[in-house]
Amino acid sequence: MIVTNANRFAVGYGACTAKGRTVKKPSHFELFRTFLMIGAISFGGGVVAYLRDSLVRRKSWIDDKEFLELTSISNTLPGLNATNMAILAGDRLGAAFGSILAMVGMCLPAFVFMTAAGVVYGSHVDRPLVDAALRGVAAAATGLIAGTWFQIGK
């Protein structure tokens, strides 16, 4: 079971219960800021690693089992996995408005960066350094994905 009224909202405004444990419910600002940071520092498929690190390990807003459930659901939905995860986790942590904030926070840095990168790449497409930088980003994303699945498999 992923979300029910019994485990989604509870113990006052500042806390929620999930799977028998009470955790601090994040403010809307904290939820937006967290997903904005994840969106700003993650590359390619490596976003799963940053999501797990922030939501499970650092903030303890959800546990590993819930994270895997959300990952499974987001993988079955059409669209980008990172966006699906942001919407699902945002809904879990801040209801409908939380899902909107999480999605905007996750997508805003990529929108700004890709718009700027498109302008720069269009004017420097024939330079080998640009090609090398893009290959390095792809290699880093592969390593982050492998590291995340290794941690989850422990």
Side-chain angles (χ1 to χ4, degrees):
M1 169 178 26
I2 291 182
V3 177
T4 67
N5 288 336
N7 72 0
R8 184 169 171 193
F9 305 107
V11 200
Y13 176 75
C16 61
T17 60
K19 306 289 184 187
R21 61 182 170 72
T22 302
V23 294
K24 182 178 181 267
K25 183 177 177 183
S27 68
H28 285 128
F29 175 75
E30 187 176 12
L31 187 64
F32 174 76
R33 184 178 54 129
T34 298
F35 280 94
L36 184 69
M37 289 301 298
I38 293 169
I41 63 174
S42 61
F43 290 93
V47 71
V48 175
Y50 291 110
L51 282 166
R52 183 183 176 279
D53 186 58
S54 292
L55 301 177
V56 176
R57 192 180 68 78
R58 288 186 186 172
K59 305 222 182 257
S60 297
W61 288 342
I62 59 176
D63 60 22
D64 268 327
K65 184 176 179 187
E66 292 170 303
F67 183 80
L68 287 174
E69 289 172 351
L70 293 177
T71 302
S72 297
I73 293 170
S74 73
N75 285 332
T76 63
L77 297 172
L80 301 172
N81 190 26
T83 306
N84 293 341
M85 283 290 289
I87 292 168
L88 291 169
D91 181 63
R92 168 70 56 85
L93 299 167
F97 189 58
S99 67
I100 293 168
L101 289 174
M103 181 193 65
V104 170
M106 179 68 79
C107 295
L108 186 62
F111 172 76
V112 171
F113 178 76
M114 289 309 298
T115 301
V119 170
V120 171
Y121 183 74
S123 62
H124 298 288
V125 70
D126 56 343
R127 296 184 185 224
L129 187 59
V130 173
D131 184 57
L134 291 175
R135 289 179 191 270
V137 168
T142 302
L144 286 171
I145 293 169
T148 298
W149 290 116
F150 176 75
Q151 288 179 348
I152 289 174
K154 285 184 181 179

